[in-house]
């Protein structure tokens, strides 16, 4: 059973509730390289929200995507929730 308590990508603490309903902080299995099959050396556990947003991007592509979104929001002057 995994001992990781939070997602490496966002730092959110996982909710290990054990029920079958996914929440944004549910742990989620992610392939490091989407072109390879699921094996122990090609997986990491990240939160479901990051995994859903990351989709089929590499970690580097995902980080670049997030940075682009952040920069666009800064330039437009929009803040969280507005």
């Amino acid at each position: 059973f995994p001992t990781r308590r939070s997602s490496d990508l966002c730092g959110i603490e996982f909710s290990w509730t054990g029920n079958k309903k996914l929440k944004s902080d549910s742990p989620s299995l992610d392939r490091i390289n989407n072109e390879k099959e699921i094996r122990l050396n090609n997986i990491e556990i990240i939160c479901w929200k990051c995994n859903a947003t990351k989709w089929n991007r590499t970690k580097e592509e995902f980080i670049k995507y997030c940075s682009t979104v952040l920069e666009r929001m800064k330039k437009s002057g929009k803040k969280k929730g507005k």
Side-chain angles (χ1 to χ4, degrees), residues 25-46:
D25 60 352
S26 295
S28 178
L29 191 65
D30 181 51
R31 283 185 290 168
I32 295 166
N33 182 338
N34 288 319
E35 294 180 11
K36 295 183 178 180
E37 55 191 36
I38 295 175
R39 294 194 179 265
L40 284 176
N41 64 352
N42 190 39
I43 59 169
E44 61 184 335
I45 299 173
I46 60 176

Side-chain angles (χ1 to χ4, degrees), residues 12 23-26 28 46-54 62:
I12 286 180
K23 300 187 320 185
S24 63
D25 60 352
S26 295
S28 178
I46 60 176
C47 73
W48 182 85
K49 191 172 193 175
C50 280
N51 205 354
T53 306
K54 182 177 173 273
F62 175 66

Side-chain angles (χ1 to χ4, degrees), residues 7-82:
S7 176
D8 281 344
L9 287 178
C10 67
I12 286 180
E13 190 170 324
F14 294 135
S15 173
W16 294 94
T17 60
N19 69 25
K20 294 181 181 182
K21 186 173 182 181
L22 287 175
K23 300 187 320 185
S24 63
D25 60 352
S26 295
S28 178
L29 191 65
D30 181 51
R31 283 185 290 168
I32 295 166
N33 182 338
N34 288 319
E35 294 180 11
K36 295 183 178 180
E37 55 191 36
I38 295 175
R39 294 194 179 265
L40 284 176
N41 64 352
N42 190 39
I43 59 169
E44 61 184 335
I45 299 173
I46 60 176
C47 73
W48 182 85
K49 191 172 193 175
C50 280
N51 205 354
T53 306
K54 182 177 173 273
W55 193 246
N56 65 350
R57 297 176 180 98
T58 65
K59 189 180 280 190
E60 291 77 19
E61 290 169 335
F62 175 66
I63 291 169
K64 184 177 179 183
Y65 168 78
C66 291
S67 295
T68 301
V69 171
L70 178 61
E71 287 305 312
R72 288 182 54 80
M73 297 308 291
K74 284 180 181 178
K75 286 179 183 176
S76 70
K78 293 182 180 180
K79 295 183 179 174
K80 184 179 177 181
K82 291 189 177 185

